[in-house]
Amino acid sequence: MVLNQQIHDFKSVLEGDILSHTFEVLNQGDEDLKIERVKPGCTCSVAHFDPLIPPKGLGKITVKIDTKGFEGAERWVVKVFSNDPKWKEAVLDLRANVKPVITITGAPVFLGGKKKAPTTGEAEISTGLDQPLILTPEQFTLSGKVTYYISEIEKERRYKVTFQNVSGKRENYRGFLKLKTNFPEKPEVTLWIIGRFEN
């Protein structure tokens, strides 16, 4: 078994992109090379391969990766098991720098402390895409304990969500605000809010 390439770097990609790359496998022996199985390191990747490569023949292993939920410098490993006595297990290495479609900073939001007065916290939601981002509140689990409002920092690109605990409510809590987006790559975002109070 001879692999022309074992590492492939997709460079910069967007979260939600489906990546695909085909590795070539040469059989330089005088017997059939059997690719017994190809095992991706995570459920986000799928591999299709030629199970039998004749002598001096060329086979292919295609790996597909769903980048949904990944961010930053990522690496996926795929193991190739064959009947080559000298190389029973080969490793294919795929890399990418996954840029998030939507970036959230300041979450989870912490409210609380010793003060009797209401405390506030903020989170920011922004997009790096060249298309407008529209947020629609979908679910809020802290009604009566926390209020929130959404303001635009940069039109249809950056939003600030400000949370404030309701005055007089001093018990600890944990909840979230779920917002729907107009991006199919990231249809919703969830902001967690945690309240910790000292008497």
Side-chain angles (χ1 to χ4, degrees):
M1 178 165 67
V2 174
L3 290 162
N4 287 338
Q5 173 200 28
Q6 278 184 265
I7 297 172
H8 180 73
D9 193 343
F10 291 100
K11 307 285 187 211
S12 233
V13 300
L14 269 179
E15 183 199 349
D17 284 353
I18 305 288
L19 310 177
S20 180
H21 183 71
T22 300
F23 293 90
E24 292 187 339
V25 187
L26 294 159
N27 178 1
Q28 290 198 334
D30 11 342
E31 288 178 34
D32 285 345
L33 173 66
K34 290 183 184 143
I35 305 293
E36 288 156 1
R37 66 192 173 108
V38 176
K39 189 175 174 236
C42 73
T43 54
C44 60
S45 53
V46 184
H48 301 283
F49 60 94
D50 297 325
L52 198 69
I53 303 162
K56 307 292 176 262
L58 176 74
K60 290 179 177 170
I61 298 170
T62 300
V63 181
K64 283 190 177 166
I65 298 165
D66 184 351
T67 61
K68 190 178 178 186
F70 290 95
E71 189 179 323
E74 294 287 351
R75 181 173 173 241
W76 299 271
V77 169
V78 176
K79 289 181 179 174
V80 180
F81 298 90
S82 76
N83 67 337
D84 182 335
K86 290 185 180 154
W87 203 12
K88 290 265 186 210
E89 185 185 317
V91 173
L92 304 176
D93 191 322
L94 299 105
R95 298 165 189 193
N97 185 30
V98 185
K99 286 164 48 179
V101 173
I102 292 173
T103 305
I104 298 168
T105 49
V109 177
F110 289 94
L111 300 173
K114 292 181 178 175
K115 292 188 291 185
K116 291 275 185 246
T119 53
T120 57
E122 296 172 351
E124 201 177 291
I125 301 167
S126 59
T127 179
L129 295 190
D130 291 329
Q131 64 187 69
L133 168 64
I134 297 159
L135 299 173
T136 315
E138 192 175 34
Q139 188 185 1
F140 185 51
T141 61
L142 291 171
S143 293
K145 294 179 183 176
V146 175
T147 58
Y148 74 90
Y149 63 92
I150 301 168
S151 53
E152 268 185 326
I153 303 171
E154 191 183 329
K155 188 168 170 52
E156 295 181 332
R157 290 185 72 79
R158 279 174 69 207
Y159 294 85
K160 183 166 75 176
V161 188
T162 306
F163 297 94
Q164 184 171 341
N165 72 293
V166 175
S167 186
K169 297 276 184 180
R170 304 290 297 164
E171 78 267 30
N172 293 341
Y173 50 74
R174 187 171 190 268
F176 62 84
L177 169 65
K178 194 177 279 185
L179 301 163
K180 241 165 79 167
T181 85
N182 58 320
F183 289 177
E185 306 93 336
K186 188 98 173 167
E188 60 181 35
V189 291
T190 302
L191 299 175
W192 285 92
I193 308 104
I194 297 164
R196 291 276 177 273
F197 297 94
E198 296 171 39
N199 294 325

